[in-house]
Amino acid sequence: MSLFKGPMRNHLNGHKELTEHKEAVVYNPKTVYIPLFAGFDPNPKILVNVGDEVKVGTKLAVFEARFVVPVFSSVSGKVVSIEKRMHQNLKQADYIVIESDGKFTEEKNPTIDWEKASVEELVEFMKNAGIIGCGGAGFPSYVKYQGAKGIERLIINAVECEPFITSDYKAIESDLDTMLVGIRAMKKMCGAPVAEICIKKSHPELIAHVNEKIKGLDGITCREVPDVYPMGWERTLIYEVTGQRYDRLPAEVHVVINNATTALKFGTAMLTGMPIVNRMVTVSGDGVKNPVNVIVPIGTLASEIVNGPAGGYTSDKIIMSFGGPMMGGTVPNDDIAIDRQNNALTVQIDKGIDEIACLRCGRCSDYCPSGLQPVRINNVMKMNDMDRLGKLQVTKCIECGMCTYVCPSKIAVTENVRRAKRAYMAFGKK
Ligand code: SF4
Ligand code: SF4
């Protein structure tokens, strides 16, 4: 860890204007490819067979492992294939391929009255409805509420600090009432007296809209936070709100934190019985002709979204990221499907990199939100010294992209640290 901390955060050009004030559009493909990727469990128990008819919300697969939630169909139609395909994390995963009948006939899944239900019933409902973190992490949300004790604050993360992404803002605009149902239930589930919806202060219209809607709701407030990156990272946001840092989990500082779209999806599930079957995705960057927010069924291919509502590519040399340009994972092709946690596709023209030698300016350390020394990590990695990589706390890298962003020598610092982290973990160190 760096002894002399710099600002550890930075204002970035958001490019939010490309999509923020445009109407979101709906796009429904003929075929969906629903990923059964579920983190720790590579062996889903698939509940359907090729040829089966399914509805929107039909449960397709469950998992044995803890911290994994079921997967549901996003369209009505017929299962035409169960096959291995590349997931956006570049690993092979099982996919259920469904040809849509275009009717969107809905399964009748159970609903729940959050005011009457017990906390345990709500947690179980959240788990069975497959609610996961929709801001990019994809971690099952019920885990945060199971046995939650001593929680003083629920933070709803609507910061959206990465450039280009506006999907949370549009989701809030689209159905704030349902999101507030989700927030009130989450507040009950964790026992927090206060829920704070955090939005960057550079979005005054959205803040005014939220403030208007929460009038009279006990213990729910809207907090403006600075327009800096990575304000949406849990640790940065929790420090901003509480002034406290924690070691492993937000509960250590009496906080539960969830993303705004997650609250909306939980509200939808409680009111209608519908799990996460579709989502708002920002498609933006100079690599697409028509940056736009699109509501798509889970399992829609990136290629269809770009070539459909986003108007096609502006260049034949592009870089596509699932997520934002800072933390999103780049993919080698666009034949990859949207999963429940995907808030954005960022498409940028590949302008190449004119890298020069390190100037030893220290900017990468100054701005690292984890307090690391990326350039030292890189040097130690070249020497393959795993012990020193451990001392430099390489596993604390959150792959936020800041060190590359601030580097005047255009060095791919993040990529180097990421490689060092992977090597260290593969070496058996945690
Ligand atoms: S990518 Fe890792 S090393 Fe680089 S600034 Fe972010 S946390 Fe620090
Ligand atoms: S920011 Fe770039 S040039 Fe400066 S010390 Fe880090 S790697 Fe070297």
Side-chain angles (χ1 to χ4, degrees):
M1 181 133 3
S2 174
L3 290 177
F4 305 102
K5 290 201 179 81
M8 301 173 86
R9 54 197 207 175
N10 197 5
H11 174 74
L12 308 183
N13 186 352
H15 306 290
K16 308 269 189 190
E17 72 288 348
L18 291 173
T19 54
E20 189 173 2
H21 301 294
K22 270 190 198 171
E23 267 311 290
V25 299
V26 175
Y27 177 76
N28 290 314
K30 283 211 173 68
T31 306
V32 291
Y33 302 79
I34 300 187
L36 303 183
F37 185 82
F40 316 108
D41 192 347
N43 299 310
K45 186 173 170 209
I46 298 175
L47 306 175
V48 291
N49 295 303
V50 172
D52 285 358
E53 299 285 342
V54 293
K55 296 177 181 171
V56 183
T58 300
K59 198 180 279 181
L60 298 176
V62 291
F63 300 85
E64 299 290 327
R66 285 171 74 217
F67 304 158
V68 188
V69 291
V71 174
F72 299 85
S73 176
S74 60
V75 294
S76 57
K78 189 185 273 185
V79 177
V80 292
S81 170
I82 297 171
E83 61 191 42
K84 296 267 184 211
R85 295 175 66 90
M86 191 195 282
H87 191 256
Q88 61 202 254
N89 61 13
L90 311 187
K91 291 183 182 152
Q92 291 286 308
D94 288 307
Y95 278 70
I96 297 187
V97 186
I98 304 168
E99 220 165 76
S100 172
D101 60 14
K103 294 179 187 159
F104 290 89
T105 313
E106 294 185 358
E107 195 74 67
K108 292 229 173 318
N109 286 321
T111 57
I112 193 166
D113 181 338
W114 70 269
E115 289 182 278
K116 289 190 185 142
S118 68
V119 167
E120 290 73 23
E121 286 167 338
L122 286 167
V123 171
E124 196 59 19
F125 182 88
M126 184 180 247
K127 179 179 174 181
N128 293 333
I131 304 298
I132 59 162
C134 293
F139 188 71
S141 300
Y142 79 91
V143 179
K144 300 182 180 190
Y145 298 91
Q146 205 171 36
K149 281 203 177 65
I151 300 301
E152 292 167 3
R153 192 181 259 118
L154 168 67
I155 294 178
I156 298 298
N157 187 348
V159 175
E160 213 140 53
C161 63
E162 279 224 49
F164 297 110
I165 308 177
T166 56
S167 54
D168 275 346
Y169 305 154
K170 300 308 277 186
I172 294 171
E173 271 173 29
S174 72
D175 196 356
L176 183 49
D177 289 329
T178 301
M179 190 184 101
L180 287 169
V181 170
I183 293 173
R184 291 166 77 195
M186 288 165 153
K187 185 168 166 292
K188 173 175 171 175
M189 287 158 70
C190 66
V194 180
E196 292 188 82
I197 304 167
C198 295
I199 302 174
K200 283 199 298 197
K201 65 180 180 191
S202 47
H203 301 275
E205 288 166 26
L206 189 66
I207 290 166
H209 178 52
V210 172
N211 274 328
E212 186 57 37
K213 282 278 185 184
I214 60 176
K215 265 186 200 158
L217 291 182
D218 192 30
I220 300 184
T221 59
C222 183
R223 177 189 277 257
E224 297 180 23
V225 297
D227 186 353
V228 290
Y229 180 81
M231 185 49 70
W233 180 37
E234 279 189 3
R235 286 177 189 272
T236 308
L237 184 57
I238 289 173
Y239 182 69
E240 174 68 28
V241 172
T242 68
Q244 290 179 280
R245 298 197 196 276
Y246 57 92
D247 180 27
R248 288 179 56 246
L249 296 170
E252 292 162 26
V253 290
H254 313 290
V255 169
V256 166
I257 183 164
N258 253 140
N259 156 269
T261 296
T262 308
L264 169 61
K265 293 299 183 187
F266 185 42
T268 304
M270 288 188 293
L271 294 173
T272 69
M274 195 49 73
I276 306 176
V277 293
N278 60 23
R279 67 156 303 143
M280 185 84 70
V281 180
T282 304
V283 194
S284 193
D286 62 2
V288 291
K289 289 181 184 158
N290 179 38
V292 68
N293 274 291
V294 197
I295 300 166
V296 289
I298 304 306
T300 305
L301 292 179
S303 55
E304 284 204 46
I305 303 175
V306 171
N307 291 312
Y313 295 105
T314 56
S315 165
D316 53 10
K317 284 182 83 182
I318 56 102
I319 298 171
M320 174 180 275
S321 305
F322 270 67
M326 304 294 283
M327 288 184 114
T330 55
V331 288
N333 64 61
D334 58 9
D335 195 28
I336 295 177
I338 294 293
D339 208 346
R340 290 176 283 190
Q341 69 272 27
N342 294 137
N343 53 0
L345 285 174
T346 306
V347 186
Q348 294 178 281
I349 296 174
D350 184 358
K351 301 180 178 97
I353 299 168
D354 292 325
E355 181 177 318
I356 59 169
C358 174
L359 306 171
R360 307 183 76 82
C361 65
R363 280 173 67 85
C364 50
S365 300
D366 288 347
Y367 284 94
C368 173
S370 298
L372 303 180
Q373 296 172 283
V375 78
R376 282 190 67 198
I377 289 173
N378 191 21
N379 292 341
V380 168
M381 181 61 206
K382 282 180 193 155
M383 293 183 271
N384 212 19
D385 186 339
M386 294 297 145
D387 285 337
R388 279 181 68 199
L389 275 184
K391 286 186 185 129
L392 291 169
Q393 300 187 307
V394 67
T395 55
K396 291 210 163 149
C397 172
I398 56 162
E399 302 180 23
C400 70
M402 181 77 96
C403 46
T404 294
Y405 182 84
V406 298
C407 176
S409 297
K410 308 266 183 252
I411 297 168
V413 194
T414 302
E415 194 46 44
N416 295 338
V417 179
R418 186 183 283 138
R419 252 188 247 126
K421 182 173 146 185
R422 301 273 186 281
Y424 182 76
M425 290 170 84
F427 192 67
K429 310 259 187 169
K430 294 264 156 57

